[in-house]
Amino acid sequence: LGVVTATALMLLRSEPSPPATPPAVPMAVEPAKPAAPPAPTPAPARSVEAPPPPLPPEPKAVGAVRLRRVELRGPAGVKWSTVRGKSLGSGVVTVELPADTRSVIAVDPRRGVRSTLSIGNGRVDYASAPRGKLDLRAFPYAEVFLGSESLGVTPLQPIEVVAGTYAVRFVYKDKEQRRSVALAGGKTERVIVDFR
C-alpha cells in the first residue's frame, strides 16, 4: 500500500500541472444595436458647365440715338430709302428714323427719277415736292422717254416734273442717245440731241 501510494504520488508529480484557469468573470453583454441603414451612395457627379464669365459692360453711347416717326406719302410706284440706301418701303408708309435725319430719297422707276426730299413736320409728300421743267429737244426729231415712260415725239412743250436726277432717252429710227439730267426745284433744264 505504501509502495502504491508512493508510485501514485510520483506519477502525479511527473505530469505537468494544468494551467490555472482564471475564475470566470461575468461579462456585460451589450444588447444588439439595430443595423444602421446603409449610407446612400452618392450619385455620380454630373458634369455641370460653369456659367460663362460676365461680359464687360458695354460702353454707353454718347448721346443715344433718338428716333422720330415720319410719314412718307407718294404714288404706289415710288420707292423710299434713306440717303445711305436703306429701303423704307413704297407708296404711303410710316417709318422711324433718327431724329437728326433731314431728308429721304424717292425713286420713281417708271419716270426714271431719283429725288432727294426734305422732311418737314415729320412728313414727306411726293405730290408737294419741289418741281422744275425739262425742255427736251431733238433734231431732226426723236421719241423721248423718261425712264420707261414715253413723252411722245419732238417737238415737245417743256414738261413740269418733280426735281431730281432723270434718265432721259432719245430714240430716232434705229439710233438712241441717253442723258442724265439733274433738275433743281424752280429751274428749267434744256437738253438738245442731234441725230443728223
Side-chain angles (χ1 to χ4, degrees), residues 165-187:
T165 302
Y166 284 83
V168 184
R169 187 165 52 106
F170 297 84
V171 178
Y172 171 71
K173 296 182 179 180
D174 59 347
K175 297 177 183 177
E176 178 180 294
Q177 290 192 35
R178 294 175 182 261
R179 297 286 189 275
S180 177
V181 183
L183 176 65
K187 301 292 183 181

Side-chain angles (χ1 to χ4, degrees), residues 63-87:
V65 177
R66 290 177 48 235
L67 300 176
R68 66 171 171 166
R69 294 174 70 83
V70 177
E71 183 183 14
L72 307 175
R73 299 184 64 81
V78 170
K79 298 180 181 180
W80 301 98
S81 69
T82 64
V83 173
R84 294 186 176 181
K86 179 183 175 185
S87 175

Side-chain angles (χ1 to χ4, degrees), residues 105-108 111-116 126 134 146-147 161-168 179-184 189:
I105 303 297
V107 175
D108 183 349
R111 279 215 149 168
V113 60
R114 182 180 193 269
S115 304
T116 302
Y126 193 79
L134 290 175
L146 287 186
V161 290
V162 172
T165 302
Y166 284 83
V168 184
R179 297 286 189 275
S180 177
V181 183
L183 176 65
E189 288 294 331

Side-chain angles (χ1 to χ4, degrees), residues 6-7 37 40 42 45-46 60 63 71-72 101 106 112 126 133 143 150 155 157 161 166 175 183 186 189 192:
T7 307
R46 292 179 181 176
K60 292 182 180 177
E71 183 183 14
L72 307 175
T101 303
Y126 193 79
K133 290 185 178 182
E143 184 177 5
S150 173
Q157 291 297 314
V161 290
Y166 284 83
K175 297 177 183 177
L183 176 65
E189 288 294 331
I192 302 173

